């Protein structure tokens, strides 16, 4: 009885491998499965350029989010870690052990694209969903959009001067005129003596 069960289990394993092997070989031994979505910069202003890099996407694909239009992802030549150029600080910056190409998988499986953040995007965290070879992966809170800065107006949000501002400014100008007149009169009086 035990021999029969072992034989059936071995036969099932061989059948599964026999069905899966042609699909794996068709793509160079790799089964596309998106993973490790990286969005740089992770904090971005409206209208900024966001670079999206995803592993496990050898044929490219596309990325979507509520903060930008659908963006195409194209395969990156050079492999996983060379595509990041040592930015991934989680691994110490440079992954020299693989030399830029994942030897276990036999080549490049990284895709990259650039998205432009909508000008009217609300400040907050946004998800990115990547679609590659019929598979999808979502990274929640992949990046954060910050609000624009109101520069050039000195921190004021009111338009024009208020009556109080006008009164203060007028009194400062009047004090300066009176002070200058007193100084000039004193200097003139000193010259006579």
């Amino acid at each position: 009885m035990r021999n029969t069960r072992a034989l059936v289990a071995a036969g099932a394993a061989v059948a599964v491998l026999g069905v899966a092997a042609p699909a794996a070989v068709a793509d160079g031994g790799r089964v596309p499965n998106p993973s490790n979505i990286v969005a740089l910069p992770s904090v971005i202003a409206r209208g900024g350029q966001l670079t999206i890099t995803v592993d496990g996407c050898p044929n490219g694909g596309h990325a979507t989010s509520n903060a930008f239009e659908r963006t195409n992802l194209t395969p990156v030549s050079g492999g996983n870690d060379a595509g990041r150029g040592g930015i991934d600080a989680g691994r110490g910056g440079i992954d020299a052990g693989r030399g830029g190409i994942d030897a276990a998988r036999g080549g490049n499986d990284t895709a990259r694209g650039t998205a432009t953040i909508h000008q009217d995007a609300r400040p907050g965290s946004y998800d990115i969903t990547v679609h590659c070879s019929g598979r999808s992966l979502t990274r929640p809170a992949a990046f954060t959009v910050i609000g624009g800065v109101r520069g050039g107006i000195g921190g004021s949000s009111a338009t024009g001067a208020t009556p109080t501002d006008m009164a203060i400014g007028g009194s400062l100008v009047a004090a300066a005129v009176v002070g200058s007149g007193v100084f000039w009169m004193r200097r003139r009086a000193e010259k006579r003596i």
Side-chain angles (χ1 to χ4, degrees):
M1 185 77 159
R2 289 185 185 178
N3 289 339
T4 306
R5 284 185 188 168
L7 221 71
V8 169
V14 168
V16 168
L17 286 174
V19 171
V25 171
D27 190 26
R30 295 175 283 153
V31 177
N33 192 19
S35 65
N36 192 29
I37 300 171
V38 178
L40 293 175
S42 61
V43 177
I44 189 166
R46 293 177 241 179
Q49 298 281 318
L50 182 73
T51 301
I52 304 160
T53 306
V54 61
D55 293 338
C57 203
N59 302 320
H62 67 274
T64 58
S65 176
N66 291 335
F68 56 81
E69 298 292 325
R70 176 180 161 157
T71 301
N72 289 327
L73 302 173
T74 56
V76 176
S77 60
N80 289 355
D81 299 311
R84 280 194 281 275
I87 295 173
D88 192 0
R91 294 190 220 169
I94 299 172
D95 189 354
R98 289 195 243 173
I101 297 176
D102 191 345
R105 282 180 253 175
N108 176 19
D109 68 347
T110 301
R112 181 179 295 146
T114 302
T116 302
I117 304 299
H118 293 305
Q119 291 289 343
D120 60 350
R122 303 192 99 196
S125 295
Y126 286 89
D127 301 346
I128 295 178
T129 301
V130 173
H131 306 277
C132 298
S133 302
R135 296 184 183 220
S136 298
L137 177 67
T138 299
R139 178 173 177 203
F143 64 99
T144 302
V145 174
I146 57 174
V149 177
R150 295 191 67 183
I153 59 174
S156 171
S157 61
T159 57
T162 64
T164 305
D165 294 334
M166 295 298 285
I168 292 170
S171 63
L172 288 173
V173 169
V177 168
V178 170
S180 297
V182 169
F183 179 75
W184 184 70
M185 293 299 282
R186 285 187 64 198
R187 296 281 293 172
R188 195 172 135 185
E190 288 176 0
K191 289 183 181 179
R192 287 188 194 178
I193 298 180

